[in-house]
Amino acid sequence: MQVAIAKNLDTKEILELDDITFQFVLWLNENNYIELDSLYAKSTLKTTVKEFNELNNKMTFQGEDELLVPQINYFVELNTWVCFGKDENEEINLSFEICDVVYDSKTMKESYNPIELTYLIPFLNSFEK
């Protein structure tokens, strides 16, 4: 199973993303806001609370009006999750990752292991015809 996540690198908290809201990460990538990892399917955003709020306000999807409500709700949740109680000039560090979810039956906990690009790229290419 694969899951896209946002990880607050300062607090180590994890928030799962769904396939609609993962488009935000793609938009960040296309607009050169994030640094891509050379080994794993993840990227890192280093910014301030104010800049992150501005990025969320800039983010739009053309031709997808029916998705507007879930996206707005998610971005409000993401903003609250990462920015709550922080000054607008405070720095934040987020990692967006595509992960394998591993369940440990002994500890009864899930862990998220980033997928290596060497495995992900052939998988993505298999959809191209």
Side-chain angles (χ1 to χ4, degrees), residues 4 8 11 14 16 22 24 26 31 33 38 40 47 50 59 63-64 78 107 113 115 119 121 123:
N8 186 327
T11 64
I14 291 175
E16 290 189 13
F22 191 63
F24 179 57
L26 298 178
N31 291 278
Y33 285 111
S38 59
Y40 294 103
T47 189
K50 181 180 179 181
M59 234 298 281
E64 298 185 18
L78 183 61
T107 63
N113 299 328
I115 296 174
Y119 298 109
I121 290 172
F123 171 73

Side-chain angles (χ1 to χ4, degrees), residues 8 30 53 63 71 73 83:
N8 186 327
E30 290 167 3
N53 287 327
Q71 288 167 353
N73 288 343
C83 299

Side-chain angles (χ1 to χ4, degrees), residues 8-21:
N8 186 327
L9 297 178
D10 299 325
T11 64
K12 306 297 185 218
E13 288 182 79
I14 291 175
L15 184 67
E16 290 189 13
L17 308 180
D18 61 28
D19 56 352
I20 295 172
T21 51

